[in-house]
Amino acid sequence: MSTSVPDGNVAAAARSSSTTPLLRLDDVHAEVAGQPVLRGVSLDVAEGEFVAVLGHNGAGKSTLLRTVLGLVPVRGGRISLAGEDITRTATPQVVRKGVSLVPQQRGYFENLSVADNLTFGARAEGRIGLDEIYELFPILRDRRAQLVGTMSGGQRQMVAISIALMSSPRLLLLDEPSVGLQPNLVARVMEVATQVNTEYGITVVLVEQNIEKVLQVAGRVVVINQGLVQMDAPVAEVTADRIWQLL
Ligand SMILES: Nc1ncnc2c1ncn2[C@@H]1O[C@H](COP(=O)(O)OP(=O)(O)OP(=O)(O)O)[C@@H](O)[C@H]1O
Ligand SMILES: [Mg+2]
């Protein structure tokens, strides 16, 4: 994707063009409420990668993730999953093909118990079940009968992440999962994202504000600005200062 790869990122460009990426966005345009939000986003995510997406408020990060899921219609360009065109595929089918989103807000059912929330998104043949979730977040086992609406913000976020994992996705999209959480929970969320990436081989795209945390966990950093990819580089080639300059 030469249009989205900045100077000095030739290696990443060569790598992504040599094999079929798990996720490919090619010049994707999308509108929200009649206004253009994505203005030609091109981005490749290889299987097994951990990519962080940064950008100003309103830059289009959530829209980007929602567009992949089919929640925002594509006005131009193409989205493919493992080489298959999913540009106009309905959300339930995209989920069935292995894409899961933890939305920026309320990715759970407040009036259901923890256990019911988890089994709602479960896949019988999936590698991730209740045992694996309760191992990742032991508190959810203790609270499994509690209504999610009565839990703390941090516990709710654990439920939201767990619901997304219960479908045993190939690609997990996380939209600012650590916003509003206390530091130890932010660290736990980052650990879990890393764990599912390394232990389960799930490809992760994480939208996140915390640059320092991003540089610790991600393999590649993408900066979105006004609906375009402004930077796309391996973590080893960027510094927090350089990202700050773009934000
Ligand atoms: N439901 C909506 N109605 C109208 N405009 C919207 C709606 N949702 C998003 N937008 C607009 O679309 C643009 C992109 O929003 P988006 O939520 O993708 O940004 P973001 O990068 O995720 O921001 P944040 O960091 O604040 O979450 C913004 O200008 C926003 O105001
Ligand atoms: Mg957002």
Side-chain angles (χ1 to χ4, degrees):
M1 301 287 101
S2 56
T3 52
S4 65
V5 178
D7 298 341
N9 196 20
V10 179
R15 186 188 59 227
S16 60
S17 62
S18 63
T19 51
T20 304
L22 179 58
L23 178 67
R24 169 166 282 179
L25 281 83
D26 189 8
D27 195 25
V28 170
H29 293 251
E31 293 172 359
V32 177
Q35 299 298 316
V37 173
L38 302 185
R39 300 158 187 266
V41 170
S42 293
L43 179 68
D44 279 5
V45 179
E47 180 115 52
E49 263 198 301
F50 190 136
V51 175
V53 177
L54 295 156
H56 289 290
N57 294 124
K61 307 179 297 296
S62 297
T63 303
L64 173 68
L65 300 190
R66 290 168 52 78
T67 301
V68 172
L69 250 281
L71 292 166
V72 176
V74 174
R75 296 285 181 220
R78 189 176 190 271
I79 303 176
S80 52
L81 186 71
E84 185 188 352
D85 190 340
I86 58 161
T87 314
R88 292 180 218 296
T89 304
T91 304
Q93 271 76 47
V94 177
V95 173
R96 224 164 284 147
K97 289 175 192 296
V99 185
S100 221
L101 169 69
V102 179
Q104 192 163 358
Q105 283 169 335
R106 291 206 289 266
Y108 44 77
F109 298 97
E110 296 194 357
N111 297 322
L112 294 182
S113 68
V114 169
D116 285 345
N117 264 277
L118 295 180
T119 46
F120 185 83
R123 260 200 195 176
E125 75 281 16
R127 289 165 302 156
I128 301 178
L130 284 176
D131 288 345
E132 286 75 20
I133 295 298
Y134 290 151
E135 210 168 294
L136 285 172
F137 296 118
I139 186 141
L140 297 186
R141 185 195 297 276
D142 304 337
R143 303 290 182 99
R144 60 188 179 277
Q146 189 172 338
L147 293 185
V148 172
T150 66
M151 299 177 87
S152 73
Q155 291 162 350
R156 290 178 196 211
Q157 195 56 300
M158 291 179 205
V159 172
I161 294 168
S162 300
I163 292 169
L165 286 173
M166 284 292 285
S167 68
S168 295
R170 289 175 81 179
L171 175 62
L172 178 65
L173 310 173
L174 292 156
D175 197 350
E176 304 204 34
S178 64
V179 162
L181 303 188
Q182 61 193 55
N184 65 330
L185 273 182
V186 173
R188 184 66 199 132
V189 166
M190 294 298 153
E191 267 172 29
V192 166
T194 305
Q195 218 172 328
V196 300
N197 179 244
T198 55
E199 287 178 25
Y200 293 104
I202 295 172
T203 305
V204 174
V205 175
L206 168 73
V207 172
E208 176 57 52
Q209 302 276 3
N210 187 323
I211 297 174
E212 278 71 28
K213 285 273 177 286
V214 157
L215 294 178
Q216 287 165 13
V217 297
R220 199 146 62 85
V221 180
V222 171
V223 176
I224 302 285
N225 189 12
Q226 295 187 353
L228 280 167
V229 173
Q230 192 180 17
M231 191 196 87
D232 180 346
V235 154
E237 292 178 17
V238 295
T239 60
D241 281 349
R242 179 160 165 229
I243 298 171
W244 274 118
Q245 284 165 10
L246 298 175
L247 296 179

